[in-house]
Amino acid sequence: MTASGAASGSGPVQQSDIGARLDSALADVCVTPRPSAEGDTGGGSGGGVEYRAIAGGPLRSVLPADGVAADAQVQPYQLRSRLVTNREFKAFLQTSTMWRRGQAPALFTAPGYLSAIDGADDEAPVIQVSWYAAQAYCASEQARLPRWYEWEFAAKADATQADARDDDAWLSNILRWYADAGKAPPGRVASTPANYYGVHDMHGLVWEWVEDYSGLFVNADSRSSVEKKQLDYCGGAAVSLQDRRNYAVLMRLALLSAMEARQGGANLGFRCARDSTDQGATP
């Protein structure tokens, strides 16, 4: 079957229907989020959700902005304080029926798509969800998936520090969960205290999709030549395998580099983000 849905014996009506479904699903993914007023707590299928304003700033990353040593500069943004739950995603499916299991186009979902949602705890994070479906959900909240540097900026905080990466106890707790991830279904969202920015579960519950996950690993225009991963360009200058403080980030990079946008995972969920209209936002 082709992307247009043409199969042996299919008539023009079936082809037209499948083509329309693909167009509609792609529009859901690619829609440009409408700007929201500062302090808006959500919309679409996730009414009442909270977005936390994060001021941004320089970020020392294992993926330097220049491929050598430069800090990334993170602009002010808003990050959803909680992961998207099964309950919230089910509500989204009520109005966005094209993303239901068995109806979502195979181009945008893998066979295991949403296989865990029925019977799962409604307050646990939704898993087995593709990048495309996650992006479509975020668009329903006038949002998008967070970018890599945005996610890492918020994820480096613990409950009291904006940057806890040099805290051995904090890092050990993260690595301990990474060692056990996937051995049991994820628990409920926000069952543990929020971090310095008021954001829950950046670590210890599920891995998370980011908007630019594929762009981190291939050149800017992979259509022009054979894809070349950014890590190949950067080499040892970009990622220090000898610095144990980088292990947790490297594990996230390894996971994302292995993913395709139509895939999901038993420990892969998501939250949404928005551009900030308040340049002076503070946590």
Side-chain angles (χ1 to χ4, degrees), residues 43-122:
S45 62
V49 301
E50 180 184 38
Y51 281 77
R52 301 290 296 183
I54 299 177
L59 172 66
R60 169 176 53 87
S61 173
V62 298
L63 287 181
D66 63 353
V68 181
D71 286 349
Q73 294 297 320
V74 180
Q75 297 301 310
Y77 65 105
Q78 299 175 52
L79 189 63
R80 206 179 197 270
S81 64
R82 300 184 178 206
L83 290 154
V84 175
T85 65
N86 288 309
R87 173 181 53 79
E88 290 170 323
F89 204 85
K90 286 176 182 177
F92 165 72
L93 296 177
Q94 293 300 310
T95 54
S96 297
T97 57
M98 71 194 71
W99 290 106
R100 291 178 180 174
R101 179 169 168 80
Q103 297 185 39
L107 185 64
F108 300 138
T109 56
Y113 174 67
L114 294 182
S115 58
I117 198 168
D118 292 330
D121 187 333
D122 275 350

Side-chain angles (χ1 to χ4, degrees), residues 222-261:
S222 60
R223 297 165 299 177
S224 62
S225 61
V226 176
E227 291 185 352
K228 187 170 182 64
K229 294 184 183 297
Q230 183 178 339
L231 294 180
D232 292 340
Y233 283 126
C234 300
V239 179
S240 172
L241 293 172
Q242 298 180 11
D243 187 345
R244 62 185 177 78
R245 293 173 302 178
N246 291 338
Y247 288 173
V249 181
L250 292 173
M251 291 175 76
R252 292 194 287 274
L253 287 170
L255 172 75
L256 291 173
S257 67
M259 297 298 295
E260 296 180 3

Side-chain angles (χ1 to χ4, degrees), residues 124-186:
V126 64
I127 56 174
Q128 294 289 9
V129 59
S130 71
W131 179 93
Y132 294 110
Q135 192 76 308
Y137 178 94
C138 288
S140 78
E141 289 190 359
Q142 291 78 55
R144 54 173 171 77
L145 289 171
R147 302 179 183 107
W148 166 265
Y149 286 138
E150 291 173 338
W151 196 94
E152 285 295 331
F153 191 93
K156 63 182 174 57
D158 66 8
T160 60
Q161 306 172 86
D163 191 345
R165 288 176 294 178
D166 292 329
D167 185 325
D168 287 341
W170 178 81
L171 179 60
S172 294
N173 285 334
I174 292 174
L175 293 176
R176 189 177 300 113
W177 177 76
Y178 284 3
D180 292 333
K183 293 182 180 179

